[in-house]
Amino acid sequence: MKKSIVSVLLLAITFGFFGKSKAQEKDSLYEARKLKIDEINFVSGYYTQEGEHSSIGGGKGDEALTNISNSIQVRLLKNSQKYEHRLDVAVAVDHHTSASTKLINNVPDGSPTNIYSGKISAKTAASSGTSGVTGASSKFVGWRIYPSINYFAKNLERNTTYGIGAYYSREFDYQSIGGELSFVKASQDNNAEFSVKAMAFFDQRLEILPVELRPVNTGVNNKKADDDEDEHEGGDDNYKLWNKNSYSVNFAYSQIINPRLQVSLLADFAFQDGLLSIPYNRVYFTNNTVSSEKLPMQRMKIPLGMRLNYFLGETFIFRTYYRYFFDDWGIKAHTAQLEIPIKISPFVSLSPFYRYHHQTSNDYFKPYGQHNPGEKYYSSDYDLSSFNSQNIGLNLHYLPLESKIFKSVDFRYSFYKRSEGLSAHNLTFAITFK
């Protein structure tokens, strides 16, 4: 209920801004232009990966996954000589298939089924389907839908922009409602710009345990977890809805040093509170017992970054990016990227890019069967492990200058490889209509 009220308030404020600006323009000496469609953006993506460290299987097993995504965004503009109003309305749908999803509802071959925690003393037989969710339709497993709406008001005289946005995301076992507020201030000559954005997301995840860890007569009754209960004890014979709240503030400052060089400084501060582990991820212990992943209920993350763009004549641009990341779970990471757009003709440009990432392991990760009984927190999710990764690819950008329909067309391919064995291919097609 609280999250619905937040969403309604965000929408009310958005349309309130529209009503206020309309009244102001009516009384203004400036002539207002009608609301019009500025552009329509369509993005379609295909992602596939392979690996041998399934987190659902406790750090061992097939990680094969494919994901198809499609999104459309409509951008509306309304201008006067003093204000520019922009409304972005978007909706996106993803569908993925995963080899490890079936392991939620089936015990991996050769894995021990002795329960570690002692809190759950019985288990139930596997039900039909692959979701492992009693009462949830299996046809929705793998689907995700996430609409959004963003409104921006730019004062053309002061060169300031205020923004507000609302987001929603839904999967078969997860839903999220979020909002954002933003402010941008640019210098009068547009050589410098400062921006700040605050975001908040209020999520709920259904506690779906691996099949061997479910109590007898487990059902889904959408009961909310008691804050005073141990976060992984179960409490009774029913799955619960667990909250996860995420808050972040993002700062950015960019400066044009000279006609060829531009520098940007970035800083983010993020805090999460609630169920941060994934209940159906297994963890196997040295004494041949099994439990569900358990991680702290709070996490702070701070990424600090810098961008540097250098224009080498009219043909080449060097875009560089570096980010340092750390959190209070023990992860420290360095990320560096180089992208070089090359202008082939007035209509076509190619942009090869390379990204390198190195991170240390978090404090609670261990591989399959290496966690010791008695540890307070434990995970075998290799996303939290120590690894190096490389991402290399190419972006083709087409600018049909004489077209009355198309504004731009992009095709992007990348290959991703991690030192622990995960590899992935990613294809993206994007087209912008005028």
Side-chain angles (χ1 to χ4, degrees):
M1 183 64 183
K2 176 183 176 182
K3 300 167 185 58
S4 300
I5 294 174
V6 172
S7 180
V8 170
L9 286 175
L10 287 171
L11 291 174
I13 294 172
T14 299
F15 289 108
F17 278 164
F18 266 115
K20 183 178 179 180
S21 62
K22 183 175 180 180
Q24 289 176 337
E25 289 175 352
K26 185 175 180 180
D27 296 336
S28 174
L29 296 177
Y30 300 113
E31 180 182 356
R33 299 177 184 177
K34 294 181 179 181
L35 183 68
K36 67 175 184 178
I37 296 178
D38 180 57
E39 63 182 38
I40 299 175
N41 297 293
F42 174 77
V43 180
S44 183
Y46 175 78
Y47 172 87
T48 180
Q49 73 173 37
E50 294 180 352
E52 299 179 350
H53 296 293
S54 166
S55 55
I56 298 177
K60 185 173 71 172
D62 195 351
E63 288 184 276
L65 179 148
T66 61
N67 185 80
I68 298 174
S69 61
N70 291 284
S71 67
I72 186 169
Q73 179 197 63
V74 179
R75 176 165 293 175
L76 305 172
L77 284 182
K78 186 175 183 180
N79 295 324
S80 68
Q81 295 183 19
K82 187 176 181 180
Y83 293 98
E84 177 184 85
H85 305 276
R86 192 182 96 202
L87 181 67
D88 294 341
V89 180
V91 63
V93 178
D94 294 353
H95 181 261
H96 75 268
T97 58
S98 172
S100 60
T101 302
K102 63 182 179 181
L103 296 181
I104 300 175
N105 223 40
N106 296 275
V107 179
D109 293 338
S111 299
T113 58
N114 298 317
I115 298 171
Y116 161 72
S117 67
K119 303 296 182 181
I120 302 173
S121 58
K123 55 187 177 183
T124 183
S127 59
S128 61
T130 60
S131 69
V133 187
T134 304
S137 176
S138 62
K139 68 181 180 180
F140 294 112
V141 175
W143 288 94
R144 177 190 175 210
I145 182 170
Y146 44 109
S148 64
I149 182 171
N150 294 83
Y151 167 70
F152 303 92
K154 181 177 182 179
N155 187 312
L156 301 176
E157 294 180 349
R158 298 181 179 180
N159 232 4
T160 57
T161 303
Y162 294 88
I164 187 171
Y167 303 88
Y168 179 75
S169 178
R170 181 64 187 265
E171 299 178 62
F172 79 100
D173 66 330
Y174 195 91
Q175 71 172 351
S176 174
I177 295 176
E180 73 169 50
L181 295 171
S182 63
F183 171 77
V184 179
K185 170 62 178 176
S187 62
Q188 292 301 318
D189 58 6
N190 288 315
N191 283 338
E193 181 180 282
F194 171 77
S195 65
V196 58
K197 179 168 64 176
M199 305 183 73
F201 289 89
F202 306 96
D203 306 343
Q204 285 189 326
R205 177 184 288 278
L206 195 63
E207 186 185 43
I208 303 171
L209 298 172
V211 61
E212 68 269 34
L213 299 181
R214 299 175 203 158
V216 173
N217 299 324
T218 295
V220 178
N221 69 347
N222 292 348
K223 179 179 177 181
K224 189 175 180 181
D226 190 340
D227 293 338
D228 294 329
E229 286 187 278
D230 180 84
E231 58 262 32
H232 289 267
E233 286 186 5
D236 59 22
D237 287 344
N238 296 300
Y239 293 149
K240 303 179 180 68
L241 281 173
W242 288 93
N243 293 330
K244 183 183 81 172
N245 302 325
S246 303
Y247 311 94
S248 65
V249 181
N250 317 119
F251 299 93
Y253 176 78
S254 62
Q255 176 71 55
I256 296 177
I257 306 300
N258 56 51
R260 293 185 179 273
L261 182 63
Q262 179 181 350
V263 177
S264 299
L265 302 176
L266 313 169
D268 300 342
F269 301 91
F271 177 77
Q272 295 177 302
D273 178 72
L275 183 64
L276 305 185
S277 55
I278 300 177
Y280 49 72
N281 281 355
R282 290 178 175 87
V283 173
Y284 294 98
F285 297 88
T286 55
N287 63 348
N288 291 322
T289 59
V290 60
S291 185
S292 176
E293 177 182 78
K294 185 176 180 181
L295 292 168
M297 299 284 282
Q298 292 184 338
R299 186 183 187 186
M300 181 185 67
K301 301 184 288 186
I302 301 179
L304 304 172
M306 180 177 69
R307 296 183 185 275
L308 190 149
N309 297 335
Y310 185 77
F311 297 81
L312 186 63
E314 297 182 356
T315 304
F316 297 94
I317 303 174
F318 289 85
R319 294 176 177 169
T320 64
Y321 170 76
Y322 170 77
R323 186 189 72 170
Y324 174 69
F325 170 94
F326 66 95
D327 66 8
D328 57 357
W329 284 9
I331 292 181
K332 294 180 175 61
H334 301 271
T335 305
Q337 177 171 310
L338 173 64
E339 183 171 0
I340 307 177
I342 304 170
K343 190 174 182 180
I344 306 300
S345 73
F347 303 95
V348 178
S349 65
L350 292 174
S351 302
F353 59 90
Y354 174 77
R355 185 182 183 96
Y356 177 81
H357 175 83
H358 167 76
Q359 75 173 43
T360 62
S361 174
N362 90 340
D363 296 335
Y364 317 113
F365 169 83
K366 286 182 182 178
Y368 182 96
Q370 295 188 23
H371 278 285
N372 297 315
E375 292 179 0
K376 185 176 182 180
Y377 301 115
Y378 34 83
S379 172
S380 294
D381 185 346
Y382 272 75
D383 288 344
L384 303 177
S385 69
S386 174
F387 64 83
N388 303 321
S389 69
Q390 301 181 69
N391 191 34
I392 186 169
L394 181 68
N395 187 86
L396 171 64
H397 179 68
Y398 175 61
L399 192 65
L401 298 177
E402 298 179 357
S403 174
K404 296 182 180 180
I405 300 176
F406 302 108
K407 192 171 184 179
S408 65
V409 180
D410 287 86
F411 180 80
R412 190 178 183 93
Y413 166 77
S414 67
F415 173 71
Y416 176 79
K417 180 72 173 179
R418 282 200 323 211
S419 57
E420 49 83 16
L422 182 72
S423 63
H425 300 271
N426 194 13
L427 293 169
T428 304
F429 173 73
I431 185 169
T432 300
F433 300 92
K434 295 181 179 179

